[in-house]
Amino acid sequence: MKIFPEGDEVFESLARQVPKTVPGGIVALAVTGRVNSAPVDGHTVVFGRNRPDVDICVGESDLRVSRRHGALTCREGAWWVSNLGRLPIRLPKSRWLFPDEDAVPLSDGYTPLFIRGTRDREHLLELYVAGPDGGQPAVPHGAVTEPPRRWRLTDDERLLLVVLGQRYLMHEANPQPLARQHVAEVMAELRPDEAWSHKKVEHMVAAVRSRLSREGVAGLVREEVGEPVGNALNDNLMRELVLSTTLVPPDLALIDALS
């Protein structure tokens, strides 16, 4: 196992960039650093808040997170996640892993884990299980890999859209955007010196939808979705931002950093 402390190599998110590793190996990334581990049968990577006693530290300053909160264990070439702590661990599609439950197998590719801590803080541990070739999935011979088109956002737009679409970044099973009034209340708490209202929220979000629509993104104007519109426009916007990796789960830290 190799441990890469913060600052050794920069990987903003495993949803965007994956370091090369051995076939079947696992990469775990948190704000404190990164761990790479080969698929050695019986090997375990422990995560939790007690930095001296774990392989990768998660939620170090949050006493709701257990000192040894979970483990990643290799069994016969596959990786499994188990809960060693007191709080449940949330996996994609709103699946919860509770203490003392059987370990859950990890599929090849990207899996984010979330631990909810104090004041609804969400602590993220990103995982990537390498396929047979290691690193990213193989592409056809001679083909050029096209990166996703990431959309340019101002700092204000990014924070607002992270608040609006936090359920998408948490990988909930059927996410929906937060209500405009709720978003305005959260923004007012994060930025108390600024005036926020549901109209201001809608104006900023509509400006982003309009800009992306002009760039060719479908489903962002009323004429394209039909009536009743409901949340369809903002739902389509958030799905585009997440699928293009313009917004990724580590962006949730913007909310925590300002709270």
Side-chain angles (χ1 to χ4, degrees):
M1 178 173 64
K2 295 182 179 180
I3 300 176
F4 297 82
E6 186 175 14
D8 183 83
E9 286 188 82
V10 177
F11 284 89
E12 180 185 359
S13 170
L14 296 182
R16 289 178 174 164
Q17 184 182 12
V18 181
K20 190 72 175 180
T21 187
V22 298
I26 193 169
V27 183
L29 178 68
V31 295
T32 55
R34 190 181 89 239
V35 169
N36 285 22
S37 183
V40 179
D41 197 51
H43 181 67
T44 296
V45 177
V46 178
F47 58 91
R49 69 174 167 85
N50 188 17
R51 188 189 293 260
D53 194 36
V54 296
D55 300 300
I56 186 162
C57 184
V58 179
E60 185 170 21
S61 62
D62 194 332
L63 296 181
R64 289 284 182 88
V65 179
S66 295
R67 286 168 288 188
R68 292 167 59 89
H69 203 103
L72 311 168
T73 304
C74 183
R75 300 177 187 169
E76 299 180 352
W79 287 93
W80 299 70
V81 57
S82 56
N83 191 333
L84 308 178
R86 294 186 177 183
L87 292 177
I89 299 170
R90 186 164 55 77
L91 288 78
K93 299 182 180 179
S94 295
R95 180 174 184 178
W96 295 89
L97 177 60
F98 289 88
D100 301 323
E101 283 190 332
D102 292 339
V104 173
L106 296 171
S107 302
D108 288 355
Y110 177 76
T111 301
L113 305 181
F114 296 92
I115 304 171
R116 176 164 290 184
T118 305
R119 295 183 58 197
D120 292 334
R121 293 170 63 188
E122 290 277 351
H123 302 285
L124 170 66
L125 177 64
E126 294 185 280
L127 306 176
Y128 194 95
V129 178
D133 67 326
Q136 297 280 11
V139 298
H141 293 293
V144 177
T145 303
E146 297 182 2
R149 181 177 183 179
R150 300 186 187 116
W151 303 101
R152 183 171 297 179
L153 301 173
T154 67
D155 290 343
D156 287 346
E157 289 171 342
R158 183 173 297 276
L159 176 60
L160 177 68
L161 291 166
V162 167
V163 174
L164 176 73
Q166 57 189 271
R167 292 169 178 164
Y168 298 79
L169 298 175
M170 294 175 186
H171 285 256
E172 292 189 1
N174 298 295
Q176 285 292 311
L178 296 188
R180 291 174 297 174
Q181 185 59 41
H182 189 180
V183 173
E185 292 170 358
V186 174
M187 292 297 295
E189 182 180 351
L190 296 175
R191 293 187 172 182
D193 296 333
E194 301 176 12
W196 287 94
S197 66
H198 71 276
K199 290 185 177 180
K200 180 177 181 178
V201 169
E202 178 54 32
H203 177 76
M204 290 183 63
V205 175
V208 177
R209 290 200 311 261
S210 177
R211 189 167 73 239
L212 269 60
S213 179
R214 292 194 299 269
E215 292 289 334
V217 179
L220 300 184
V221 295
R222 299 180 72 93
E223 295 76 13
E224 293 177 328
V225 302
E227 299 291 343
V229 174
N231 281 336
L233 298 180
N234 286 344
D235 178 60
N236 290 339
L237 172 64
M238 291 312 309
R239 292 182 187 280
E240 170 61 26
L241 295 175
V242 171
L243 289 173
S244 66
T245 66
T246 301
L247 297 180
V248 293
D251 287 328
L252 290 166
L254 292 174
I255 301 176
D256 185 49
L258 297 176
S259 61

